Amino acid sequence: MISIVAGEHGKAGAGYYGVAGQEVDADIALPALAPFAAPGPVESERSCTVPSLSGIEGDVEIFRGDAWLAEDTRFVECRHSSAGYTIDVEGVGSLSVGASGDCVVFGGDRRAIDDVVHQLLLGPGLILALSLRGTYCLHASAVARKGGVAVFLGESGAGKSTLAAFLAGSVGSGWQAVADDLLPVALDERGLWALPRYPQLKLQVDRQPSLPLPERMPVHSVYLLENVPSARAVSLRSLSGVDGALALVKHTVAAKLFDRDLLARHLRFCVGAAAAIDVRRLSFPRRRSELAAMRSVLEEDAPRLRSTGEPRVLEPLPI
Amino acid sequence: MNAISRQTVVRPAANLFHTALPGQQLLLDTAGHRYFALDGVGARAWELMALDRPLSAVHATLLEEFDVTAERLWEDLATLVAELADHGLVDLADQSVQPPGAVPELPRAAPARAWAEDVFTSRELEGLLRVAGSEMGLPVRFRAHGACMWPAIRDGDVVTVTPLGVRKPARGEVVVFRRPGSDRLLLHRVASVAGETMLVRGDNAGAPDGVVAARDALGVVSALERSGQPAGVLSCPTTAWGKAALRFYLSWLDARFALISVVARGSAAFRGPLA
């Protein structure tokens, strides 16, 4: 369970949610999580105790500089110690995330919880807590067909949302929207899983695609979208293990805030994920008429789980 | 920085996390949030260096495994080590302080001449596979030899090869086949299948073996053991040498701070419900 502590009196059970495969117990109501409200204990017992993380011996600076939050540039400082993370945002307050990802605590003025604080809690706070628990958030759009999820990665403006919206809007084609912007994923011995119950912050609360979806769905393919204006046609090419793993690394949200242990765990996750599924580059000329061609390519590219015979052997990865 | 000599021992730096993929190495500098990759020759050199042996031993092993002159190999190896050191990815130490023989022998791919000492010749192995395998449908066990399928299959691993019957090999499977124009049997992975032909390549090899007829696959690897009795030896050839290039991928410190801007785009949508 992840506890979010931001209320003035630390009132338990104000909001109880099932998000990205985790129970989230917040002492304030979080409207962005309303679609994922779950029946929780009325008076939950908090296991989360967050010491003052600042000034602990041995803490190290992870990031210090300007960052963009709630339509404004703000000075941000992120530090890490054995107790967890602190993220100080100038003019907003500080956020602490426990080392095991079990709690997210707002340390500013709790009488003035506003939109910006909500974004701080649900952005860096919750995403960092999930990452510490082994669920990483991809900056990706995603659609599902025949029970398997296709994930689209790409630079901003590469057309991730456009392609997902086109597929989901193709009547009778069987594609279903899963994620528009953020997709939590987790890995186990059976493969890579999408955890669609996560707020798509670009979409209205009542238009969340994940509402009718199961809690977790197998990821069948990951496509790295690449706009090649000189290309003649849509094409698909498998990436090497390193390129596939690093495509996942690069499109992981909040990796800039990871400390060295979490960076290493994250890399191991990405290597494992790239071994479990194919990561392929989907190149396309930037013409809107290509969307139908892309759909054909994707529909022909049936779920290709690793071929039979010997499974790919991964090395044990000592840190 | 220490000068690079044949006694130099190259050790991963304290902040370095490294992980192996088939034929590749991924290096993460956790202090600088920087990612690097090594392919083919460079990946194999890294694996050997990580065994804490001096560069002379790394050089000797690579010389056996790759088709390259000793001079060219040393030049490229020293360049790679210098580049790794420049990026702070490795620490250089001098091995001369260690007593000789205190560290274990490197795993080495035997030179091609080891064929003469094997239990079976290539022809005999092929005959065995054709009769026991393809005609009788029996799986056959062999000891694999060489580094070209590392790390999936390692020098000395025992593989079980099952006949394909009428089925064509599939992409990703490891097949036994005779290298076109030679007597040598190889155990390599199918990179792609097109019609009646397949492109075959060792996971750890610099270049594919080329296109061979799918029907020339004598069998497919169905099991792998790291202990067991050898029945014969499958070899891999020396691999073409290529420049060991260190590829720099990305640095989070240089990357735009995307996290909070991703969230910020949601603010308009959520202003209503929050108000």
Side-chain angles (χ1 to χ4, degrees), chain A residues 31 63 67-69 71 115 119 201-202 204-205 240-243 246 249 253 256 258 260 307 310 315 317, chain B residues 14-15 19 21 24 30 33 154 171 173-174 249 252 255 257 259-263 265-267 269-270 274:
Chain A
F63 175 81
W68 184 253
L69 173 69
E71 295 164 43
D115 187 13
Q119 291 191 37
L201 296 165
K202 286 200 289 185
Q204 296 287 353
V205 169
S240 73
V242 160
D243 290 322
L246 285 173
V249 165
V253 180
K256 195 162 185 170
F258 292 178
R260 54 168 296 174
S307 49
E310 164 213 28
E315 287 303 286
L317 304 169
Chain B
N15 281 321
T19 179
L21 290 90
Q24 297 179 302
T30 56
H33 285 211
R154 295 165 177 214
R171 176 175 170 270
E173 285 185 319
V174 179
Y249 267 92
W252 284 113
F257 195 174
L259 163 68
I260 294 182
S261 67
V262 167
V263 177
R265 272 184 276 140
S267 64
F270 281 106
L274 284 171

Side-chain angles (χ1 to χ4, degrees), chain B residues 239-272:
Chain B
T239 310
W241 182 253
K243 184 80 177 169
L246 179 68
R247 287 190 284 149
F248 173 69
Y249 267 92
L250 82 151
S251 165
W252 284 113
L253 294 188
D254 298 335
R256 190 170 67 91
F257 195 174
L259 163 68
I260 294 182
S261 67
V262 167
V263 177
R265 272 184 276 140
S267 64
F270 281 106
R271 181 149 296 147

